[in-house]
Each structure stands twice: as C-alpha cells, then as structure tokens.
Amino acid sequence: MIDKIEELSKSNKEPLEILKYRKESWNRFLQTDMPKDDEWKYTDLSSIDFNKISFENSIEIKAEGCVKKLDHDLLAKHLQPGKNKIELFNDALFSSSIIFFIPKNANAKIDLKITKQNLAKIFFIVEGNAVINEITSTSDFTILQTDIFLSENASLQYNILDNSGKANIINEKKCYLNAGSNASFNFALFGGNINRLKIENFIKENASGKIKGMFFGSNNQHFNISTSAIHLSQSSVNDILIKGALKDYATSSYYGGIEIKKEAQKADSYLADHVLLLSEDAKANSIPSLKIDANDVRATHGATVTELDEEQLFYLMSRGIERKQSEYLVLNAFFNETMNNNKEIQKLLEKKMVK
Amino acid sequence: MNLDINVDYAIKYGFKSAEDYVFKSEKGLTNEIVEKISEMKQEPQWMRQFRLKSFEIFKQKKMPTWGPDLSGIDFNSIHYYVKPTQQKVKSWQELPADILKTFEKLGIPEAERQFLAGVGAQYESEVVYHNIRKDLAKQGVIFLDMDSGVREYPDIVKKYFGTVVPPNDNKFAALNSAVWSGGSFIYVPKNVHVKMPLQAYFRINAANMGQFERTLIIADEGSFVHYIEGCLPLGEEVLTSNNLIEINDVKEGQKVLNSNGEETLVKKTMVRHYKGELIEIIPISVSNRFYLTPEHPVLVIKRSKVRRIKRKNRNLDDVDNKKLLDAKPEFVEAGKLEKGDFLIFPISKVVKEDESISDELLELLGYYLSEGFVTETNKCDTVVFSFNLKEIEKINHLKALIRKLIGKKAGEVKIEKKHSINVYVYSSELASLCEKYCGKHSDQKMIHESIMMLPPERQMNLLKTYYSGDGSISMKKSIKIRACTTSKILAYQLQQLLSRQGIYASINIREAFKEKIKDGREIYHKKRYIIYHALNKKFNKVKKKDGYFLVPIQKINKKFYNGNVYNFEVLNEPNTYLVKGFAVHNCTAPVYNSDSLHAAVVEIIALPGSRVRYTTIQNWSSNVYNLVTKRAFAHQNATVEWVDCNLGSKVTMKYPSIFMLGEGARGEILSIAFAGKGQKQDAGGKVVHLASNTSSLITSKSISKDGGRTIYRGLVKVAKRAKHTKSNVRCDALILDEKSASDTIPYMEINEKATITHEATVGKVGEEQLFYLMSRGLSEAEANALIVRGFVEPVAKELPLEFAVELNRLIELEMEGSVG
C-alpha cells in the first residue's frame, strides 16, 4: 500500500511533508483497531472493507462567490492526525483535497455532489457568508472529512442531503466558530448502509452553532450520528435538534456531546434527540452526554425513544384516512421542524415511508 | 472537648523496643488469606470455593477504564481490612477537626449529643435487636447478618447468593465475593408486609464487619420490605466519639516523647474509616481504659508465657515472678489479648531541670493544687487557700512560703461555720504564677509542662504538699493513699508523677451526684477522679521493672464502631507511642493508609408481586473509595425502589440497577449526589427492561460545590421483545461555583418499540429565584440553601423522616459559605 500512497502523492504533486503525513497515518492505521468508544459502541463496523477502494477524484463542484484552490502549503498546515482507524485511513489515502476560500463580504454558494466512491478532505475558510449544499448519492465506500473555519462574524449554512445506495459512508465535519460567527447545519439522511455523520462545533464567544437534522432508516440500515458542541468561551450558543425514524431492521446510534469549558461561562446549550421506532425490530441507541465545567450556564438535553402515537393514528383513521397514509402524516408532522419545507426531502420521506 | 487534647500530653512518653514486624510477611491478598477468612467463619465448602473462584476472577479483572481516577487504591494495602492480623492504622484518636465541626454545626449540642449517643447505644444493644427481631420472626421474616445467614439458612443462601451480582461482574464485585464479611441477609416470606423499615444498625451489630459487606434480600411473592442502609453515620460517630472521649487529638509536627524521653515529632497522622469491632482494654486503674482496632499491636507480656500454674475455671493463672521480670515484652494484636496479660506502662525518664522553679514554689503549688484558687477581690488578684481549722502547721508553712517567695504577708480569715481558715494574699504576681503553672479553675487545674519534666526528687516537693491537702490515707488491709480531684488532666498528671516516684497509681472515677442535706439544700458534687495507690502491699498485682510497670489487664470488652480511626507515625525509632500511658505500636504502612476502600455488594431478589425498597444515606469520610455494586431482580409485577443519597466519600462509583425480568415489573431509582471539595460522585442508575409492560423511573439530583464533580451515569436498556415498556429518566445538576463541575452520561439502548424519555439539565441557582427570595428578606445564603433543598425535594420526600431531616441539615451545612 505504501507504493500506492507514494504514487498518489506524486500524481497530486504533493510536497514531501504531505507524503510523510500520509505514511505516518498509514503506519498508525495498521496498528490501530476499529474504534469502540461511546460514539462507536453500537455500530457494527464489520462491513467496512478497507481493501475495496479506488482513488478517483469524483466530486462535482459548482461554486460561486468563492475562491477554490489547491494550495499544498495551506493544506499541509491544516492536516491533523486522525483519531481512529477510519480517519487514519483517509489521512493516508485521501485522493481529493479542496480548499475553498470565501472572502469577507462575499456571498458564496457552493454545491458539492458526491456520486461515486470517494476519499476526500475538504476545507472551507469562511470570512463572509456561505451557503453550502452537499448532496451524497454514492454507492461505494466513501469517506468525507470537512474542516470549516469561520472567521469573526462569518456565517455559514451547510445543508447535507444523503440519498446514497447501499454504501458505507463516513462523513465528518469539524467546524471552528470564531467570535460572533454562526453556523447552521441542516441534514437529512436517507441512504447508506452504515451512514455516519459527525458534526463537531467548537464555539467561541458570542458565536452560535446550530444543528438540525433528521434521518430515516429502513431495512438493515444503520445510522451513526454524532454531534458535539464544545463551548470554548463566554456566551457561546449551541442548539441541536435531531429527529429520526427507524423501520424494518434499521438501527441507529446517536452520540450527542455537550462540553462546556471552564472559561465558557454564560454558555447556552441545548440538545434534543427524538427517535421513533416504527417496527419491533428497529433499535435505537442514544448517549446524550453533558460535561460541564462552568457553573453559570444553561445546559439541557432531552432524548426520547417512542413509537407512533396510536391515538393520533386512530384520530386520522377515524376521519377516513388509511393507516399507511395516517402514519405518513404523523411522521411528516414529526419531521416537519427539521425539513425546512424542503420539497425534495419531503418527497424522499414519502417515497421511503411508503416503500 | 478541648479537655482531651491536654490529656494526651500526659500520655505521650516513649518506650524503646526492638522492631518486631510479625505482620510484614503477611502483606498482599492471597489464597491463604481468603481460605482463612472462610475458615474463621466456619463456612461450608461451597462458600469457600465461591470465595476462591472469585479471588481468581478478581486477579484477572482489570480496573475500570472509565470514570473517576482510582489509582489511589493499592490492593496490597487494602487487604488489611480483610485480614485483621495485618498491621495497620490503629490508634483511636479523637474525631478530627472537620468532623467535629460538622457536629457542632449540625447543632447537636453536648447534651443532645449524649442523648443521641444514648439512642445509638440502644441500637447497638442486644435488647432492641431482639425486640424487633421477635416482632419480625413472628411473621417468619429472617433478618440476620450475612455470616449467620450462610450458617443457618444454607439452602436459601446457596440458591440466591451471587446470582444477581456474579463475581465476574466487575473487579470490585469479585473482590467482595472473595473477602466479603458481614452485611445483612433478609428473607421475607410470602405475603408478609414488613411495615417498619429494617435498618442497617443491625448490620453493625453483626460480628466481624469489614469494609466488604454483602447484603442479600429476598422478598417472596407478594411481600413488602423497606431496608435502610448505612443509617446515619454521623450519629454513629457521635455515639462512639462519646465513648472515646479520652482519645487524643494528635497533629502532624506535634512533639511527642518516646524512646526513653527523646522528643520526636509526629511525622504523619492517618485517618481511615473503620466499621467493625473495637477492643476496649481495661487495665488495673479503670479510667486508663483505651480502645483499639483488633489488629493494632500492643506491647505486652502474655500471661500464658510467664505462668507458674495453669488454673482451671475462671481464675487467672498464677504468675512466676521471676519469669515475668525476665520476660521481654512483645507486640500482640489487641484482638488477641486476654484478661491477665501484662501491659507495659513506661515510666517517663525525661528530665529537664528548670532553675526558675524553686523548691519553695513547688511546695506552694502543691498547696495551690489541693486547696487554692485565684479570685478577684476589690479589683485585686487574690490567691486564696482554704484549710481546716486544725491544719495550723500547714498554714504556717504556707505563710512562710509566701513570704519567702513574694515577700508579702498573707492574711487569714476564719470561717467558723465551715470549720475552715482561708489564707489569702493580694498579689497578682503570685496569682499569675499559680495560673501559669497550675491552671485556674478546680476542674481545669493542670501542672505545667516544665514541672512535669523536673527531676523526680524535685517533683516530690509538690507531691508532698499536694497530698497533705487533697490526700488521705486509709489503713484497711494495706496502707492506701488516695487523692481526689475534679480535674481529669491533673489526675493523669499525678499518675505520671507518681510513676516517676516508682509508684503505680490507679485512677477511679466517681460520677457527679447530688447530695441532699438535711435542710433540703442540694449540694452538687462534680465528677471526681480518685488517684490511689497502696504502700507496703504484700501482693501487688502491678509489678515494677526497670523503666516500666507491668500492669495486668482487668477486663477486655468488644464493641462495634463505625467511623474514623486514627493513628500517627512518629519520626524516630522505636515505632511506638503511648495510649493512656500504655505502649502500642505505631503504624507502618503510610503510603495509602489514609485512603480506604468500601466495596459492598447488594443483591435483591423481588419475587412476583413483592415490593422492596432500599434506602441508603452514604456519608463516608472524605478518604473512602466507595465502590459498590447494587443490583436487583424484579420478577413479575414486583417493584424495586432504590433511594440513594451520596454525600460523603472521596470517590463514589455506584449505579444501583434493576433488571426487570417479569411482566409488569416496576423499578424506581432516586438518587441524590452532593460533591464537595475533592469529591467525585459518580452515581446514577441502570434499568434493564427484559419483559413486557415494565416501567421505570430514574430521578437524579446532583449538586457540586467547592471543586467537586458529580457524574450521572445511567443506562436504560430495553431488550428485544420487551414490549410496551416505559421509562423516564430525569437528571438535574446544580453547580454552585466556578470550580465545580458536573457530567451527565446516560446510555439508552432501545431494542424494541417503547416509550423512553430522558431529560437532563445543568445550571446554577436561578438568579430570579434568588432575587425573589431575597426580596422577601432572606439572606443570599438562606435563599441558596432553600433553593437547593427545593431542588432535592423530589428525592428527599421519599426518605424516612429522620433521614430527610438529617439530609436537610447536611445540605444546609454543606451550603454554608457557598455564596462568595
């Protein structure tokens, strides 16, 4: 594999520094076991096959109002050593690497389409305003690591829509929010075999990180959702709302961490996670954790795992609506908050619900 | 209590002996020790096998990799608790300042403290035990300590023991399974409702309580039982503290005398929690009794080694005097001492001449100690001595002394009614001298250190005049010389002074009493200490040898104690110090000594339709690792409730769990955690729904303060095919200051359609609530305490009244000074 890494690095014309990083990552990859910590403890990773991998660069990009560049020095600066086997794998073998730079006062709109297998590292350096739409519809093992740096008072909206086939998808976002900036993530996950989405917000003073997301699983799908809000300094705000529904044999694992550091007094942090189990064989695991080192804060989380409310269904059915349709209506209402009136998402939901 | 600090002064004289570590070789927990525990308890084979198997598991199991730092636990030093022959912390010292302060602040004044002690003593006595037991036994309830349970009900115990918490559950459960001792065994028969709660005070009555108690509760079909564990440790400590009133409060860096009087410093003081048997050793001279943990080595000569004839019946063996005087004292564990063994009472050899104290002054002070007092008349300091009319010789002697010392002429007042003459002298010089060297009030008189160290022949001056005053001679069988004082310190000091004269004096106590005089007036006599010794006695039980007395033990009592025990380490060899004048060994394992481990296992089996409630108020001292495994099986329609209050300890890791095995089972966990300075309260609860239509409720309230950290760690698991389950988890944390922290780590594993909700909040006391209360005239501290009490109310209201009151008091106490 070392040969391949060298070849890859050469064809990308990378400096030695990056090659060294790749090689080190590879060595560590070989020595590391699959992750078993709280984020991963409910996820069966045996279907992840690191051997079936190709090295194409296959992200479709449509970008306005920003500078897209491949600056190896800048890239080298931002590369961080991975924390687990999967991350290390991508560190060693990522084939796409893109850096987007959104200048001050610019209003950027970026569409990313991932349709094929991919090992990618993407960086956004946002000084102005950015709206990013990321659409995944891949059917092969994909790892996507995105690091986002928000300068002071920058703003970001990041929409993720996933409708992949039966593929294992690892999608990890790290977002650094400088003072006064705000980031808002919306996601809707429908596809994938193991579909992992991690969003980590590091929030500084007066910055605000919001995550609103939904997932809907059927068959043997497994969703591994992890959201973390790390409050680094004063008056930082975090708001997370996750909704999910699972039918058939689908399972989910949700890890929601809120961490408030000592310096982050007056932080306001909220996390809610609601999962509906639509079948007897569906499983939901949830670890909403709080780690609070400051006292003058508000940190709250709520988590529920429930089934569809029979009374609501009964009401609808008494009005002459069929059970299936009633279920869809109730579900639609359940997800309403997280869909943002997005027609495409509604369509996908309906399609998947009825199927 | 200040009184007692001074007592130890008279006690700390050194004694030289060779280092004699019989105990060193037995360090480390081994198969042999496990077997020995089993053997001592006369357990059946299966239990022995169970222990040994568990020990193997213990060795293999790893420490938990998550949660608070447990690196302070050194298993090689903790086994002391298991095997009493090990050398460990030993001296009963007085309560440490912080615990003492707790009592004061709890508002338990001295009188109430005594009252509480009484209450506690009642709990400890057999009478109460049997009363309640009779009551329960009528209903067929079995309520025993676990050891007796194994012996008396092997069938039931064998069926259930270790089934709920198997040894391989975790490292500490394995350790407990290997070395468990004590705990409760409860069996409630079908349809019996035990209305009164069973309290864990009983457990303390059980023999050989270690730090590894094991409780097994079986509630048969349709029964109900409420078990309260841990009771109020504060009360218990009070209880024993009262008994231990003579115990010393030694501080690090304090000077103690040792090794033939060389002064040495206390290097390290050690505290640990101890729950179990305490040995009370009563030598000749009853008030020199002292208390030790059973494993504490005491320097003695065993009577069995120096006997001449072995006597049958109860009589003590006769002693061969020659053998006795030739015998070399050895260290024997307090638990192995027998009546008649000879304790070593060393004679202080510290001599420090002080020229500034003249013989005349000593004589005068002797009079002062016995007859004198200082008062103020016409704004002049006056020293008054009262004598009997007949004691003209003494009066003249005293007057001469006064003239010689301060050059003043003393006056006389005759009080015919009392047949006495008061000799008085206006002199602030003399008054301050008397006060400096001998103290002021009659019950607080004490001899100054510099006098205590004078050469014995000089001290004789003081003794002579003292005895001429307070002394008396009785001439019954032998010549007995007695002196009587109301000052406890003085009594022990006199004992020391006499020992330097080669006399072993006993101290007896005559309790305070009221005497009725014929005209109806009552005279109150204070508690008096009577120091007496016999001269020319033909058969003296106490033998004198070079440098020490051999004092036989009159009686040995055992009592139970749950609280802190103290020991200290001295800087130099030999490693001994004196308790009430008697030599005991000092401690040898200083590194981890101050931390102790409490690893209990509680198993509850709630059979169909029964209900079990288990309440704990844990308030261990701040050096205890409290790692407890508690688990319950709830069968069909059974209810299990854990009420868990964690206030004390250094680190607590405790997650009471309920496995709902049968349909319709219900579980409830109520938990309060309060983490103060340096504390980590890692508590929570686990509910596992294994059957349909089961429901559970977890309510956790945690408060952290002064750098403490509370952690809620919980699990809600719904197994496949456990349909229509309901679970509600609510955890709230309050962080009272910037230094403190709180974590919430709930795990939810839902494998079946269910209704599961979890809610957690972390925050501080609400500004608006505070503002409102303060606008109504409450101080900030009061308002804070009120809000915190309201915060824990949902759990506190589930506690029995006295516990709720205690909890509120403790919270108020903990809250004190929380507003900065």
Side-chain angles (χ1 to χ4, degrees), chain B residues 27-290:
Chain B
K27 271 193 178 179
L29 187 54
T30 60
N31 267 347
E32 287 71 49
I33 291 173
V34 175
E35 277 185 2
K36 208 166 184 180
I37 292 169
S38 188
E39 193 184 304
M40 285 185 310
K41 290 180 183 295
Q42 298 173 342
E43 284 172 353
Q45 189 62 22
W46 68 269
M47 182 55 83
R48 173 181 299 222
Q49 291 306 327
F50 176 83
R51 284 180 185 275
L52 289 171
K53 199 183 81 198
S54 303
F55 180 53
E56 286 308 312
I57 295 167
F58 166 72
K59 283 191 282 188
Q60 286 158 18
K61 282 265 175 192
K62 291 198 179 81
M63 292 286 269
T65 50
W66 43 273
D69 178 23
L70 298 176
S71 59
I73 300 173
D74 178 358
F75 288 105
N76 285 331
S77 27
I78 286 162
H79 72 274
Y80 297 122
Y81 306 122
V82 192
K83 178 82 177 106
T85 48
Q86 295 296 330
Q87 161 74 24
K88 234 244 156 156
V89 177
K90 286 82 261 231
S91 156
W92 280 104
Q93 302 294 340
E94 193 148 353
L95 288 170
D98 57 334
I99 292 184
L100 194 63
K101 213 159 108 194
T102 309
F103 295 134
E104 307 290 8
K105 286 195 185 168
L106 277 171
I108 310 175
E110 193 67 29
E112 199 182 338
R113 211 178 290 189
Q114 274 166 11
F115 164 72
L116 265 181
V119 172
Q122 276 182 36
Y123 282 124
E124 251 199 7
S125 75
E126 288 288 314
V127 183
V128 177
Y129 179 75
H130 282 296
N131 270 344
I132 292 175
R133 211 188 119 161
K134 244 184 238 166
D135 188 43
L136 295 173
K138 249 183 230 168
Q139 304 178 68
V141 178
I142 303 168
F143 184 32
L144 289 168
D145 65 278
M146 197 65 228
D147 299 81
S148 311
V150 171
R151 277 194 303 273
E152 292 173 32
Y153 298 93
D155 296 344
I156 306 178
V157 173
K158 198 175 173 182
K159 187 171 166 197
Y160 292 107
F161 196 93
T163 56
V164 183
V165 180
N168 54 10
D169 190 80
N170 64 62
K171 192 174 180 82
F172 295 99
L175 178 63
N176 179 286
S177 301
V179 301
W180 70 267
S181 178
S184 296
F185 169 62
I186 297 172
Y187 174 79
V188 187
K190 278 185 193 174
N191 299 320
V192 170
H193 284 235
V194 182
K195 288 187 189 100
M196 277 167 60
L198 301 181
Q199 301 211 358
Y201 290 112
F202 292 99
R203 236 171 15 139
I204 293 152
N205 269 346
N208 294 322
M209 281 290 298
Q211 301 278 344
F212 303 95
E213 83 263 18
R214 181 127 195 161
T215 294
L216 175 62
I217 299 174
I218 300 149
D220 213 331
E221 291 174 27
S223 64
F224 168 69
V225 62
H226 181 189
Y227 179 78
I228 300 175
E229 180 207 48
C231 49
L232 296 178
L234 280 180
E236 280 170 31
E237 279 159 0
V238 171
L239 157 86
T240 16
S241 82
N242 206 38
N243 290 333
L244 301 170
I245 214 143
E246 288 94 359
I247 278 156
N248 316 314
D249 178 21
V250 179
K251 303 248 160 38
E252 271 166 45
Q254 192 173 340
K255 277 182 189 169
V256 294
L257 293 164
N258 148 8
S259 305
N260 289 341
E262 297 144 25
E263 269 178 346
T264 183
L265 293 177
V266 173
K267 193 164 123 198
K268 197 170 182 303
T269 57
M270 281 147 283
V271 188
R272 68 167 166 130
H273 193 91
Y274 178 79
K275 195 172 184 182
E277 207 168 58
L278 203 61
I279 310 291
E280 181 188 30
I281 297 168
I282 307 175
I284 286 188
S285 173
V286 178
S287 70
N288 285 61
R289 72 180 73 184
F290 56 100

Side-chain angles (χ1 to χ4, degrees), chain B residues 423-683:
Chain B
V423 177
Y424 63 92
V425 54
Y426 297 113
S427 164
S428 49
E429 188 196 346
L430 188 64
S432 63
L433 266 181
C434 290
E435 277 179 30
K436 179 188 167 195
Y437 286 114
C438 296
K440 198 171 177 181
H441 302 290
S442 66
D443 58 353
Q444 281 166 32
K445 276 184 183 163
M446 57 180 286
I447 303 170
H448 193 265
E449 207 174 333
S450 55
I451 297 179
M452 290 302 294
M453 283 195 267
L454 288 175
E457 32 324 335
R458 297 245 283 134
Q459 288 168 341
M460 198 60 199
N461 292 313
L462 184 142
L463 285 173
K464 252 179 2 204
T465 49
Y466 177 78
Y467 270 86
S468 75
D470 273 356
S472 65
I473 297 174
S474 89
M475 302 273 280
K476 284 177 190 167
K477 282 178 191 167
S478 59
I479 305 168
K480 262 191 184 165
I481 299 181
R482 307 190 337 158
C484 187
T485 173
T486 53
S487 163
K488 186 171 157 192
I489 309 156
L490 185 61
Y492 288 100
Q493 287 182 324
L494 286 169
Q495 190 181 36
Q496 285 295 327
L497 289 180
L498 287 169
S499 77
R500 295 170 136 225
Q501 305 294 340
I503 299 163
Y504 179 80
S506 298
I507 301 175
N508 273 355
I509 297 169
R510 181 173 295 168
E511 289 301 331
F513 65 95
K514 279 178 185 163
E515 196 179 331
K516 270 213 171 137
I517 298 241
K518 52 185 171 188
D519 56 359
R521 204 164 56 100
E522 278 186 349
I523 290 185
Y524 182 73
H525 288 267
K526 287 184 180 170
K527 187 173 178 177
R528 286 181 294 181
Y529 296 85
I530 297 155
I531 311 114
Y532 67 93
H533 59 275
L535 290 179
N536 310 326
K537 201 176 169 188
K538 212 172 176 188
F539 300 105
N540 202 338
K541 286 181 192 162
V542 178
K543 298 280 183 286
K544 184 174 176 266
K545 214 179 142 177
D546 284 347
Y548 54 85
F549 293 101
L550 296 163
V551 183
I553 298 174
Q554 249 181 351
K555 204 175 170 191
I556 291 175
N557 289 328
K558 286 176 185 174
K559 49 171 61 191
F560 290 93
Y561 180 76
N562 179 15
N564 287 350
V565 294
Y566 301 87
N567 191 13
F568 59 90
E569 200 185 345
V570 292
L571 208 55
N572 301 337
E573 306 261 306
N575 294 306
T576 55
Y577 60 91
L578 309 184
V579 176
K580 283 284 164 59
F582 294 102
V584 298
H585 201 284
N586 108 42
C587 129
T588 55
V591 185
Y592 292 106
N593 250 4
S594 50
D595 292 335
S596 50
L597 171 65
H598 173 249
V601 168
V602 177
E603 299 175 289
I604 294 178
I605 294 125
L607 292 171
S610 65
R611 179 173 161 218
V612 180
R613 168 175 275 226
Y614 193 109
T615 302
T616 310
I617 293 196
Q618 177 267 106
N619 192 22
W620 294 103
S621 59
S622 58
N623 60 330
V624 176
Y625 284 92
N626 183 38
L627 313 169
V628 177
T629 311
K630 289 181 167 175
R631 193 171 300 157
F633 282 173
H635 290 269
Q636 202 177 336
N637 293 322
T639 302
V640 175
E641 295 156 314
W642 295 104
V643 182
D644 210 42
C645 302
N646 297 301
L647 296 161
S649 87
K650 180 178 187 175
V651 172
T652 288
M653 287 173 80
K654 181 161 63 167
Y655 323 101
S657 34
I658 305 168
F659 283 60
M660 279 158 281
L661 304 178
E663 273 200 32
R666 217 184 128 259
E668 188 168 343
I669 299 168
L670 297 164
S671 163
I672 293 179
F674 200 118
K677 197 176 172 186
Q679 287 183 296
K680 288 201 180 66
Q681 300 284 9
D682 199 325

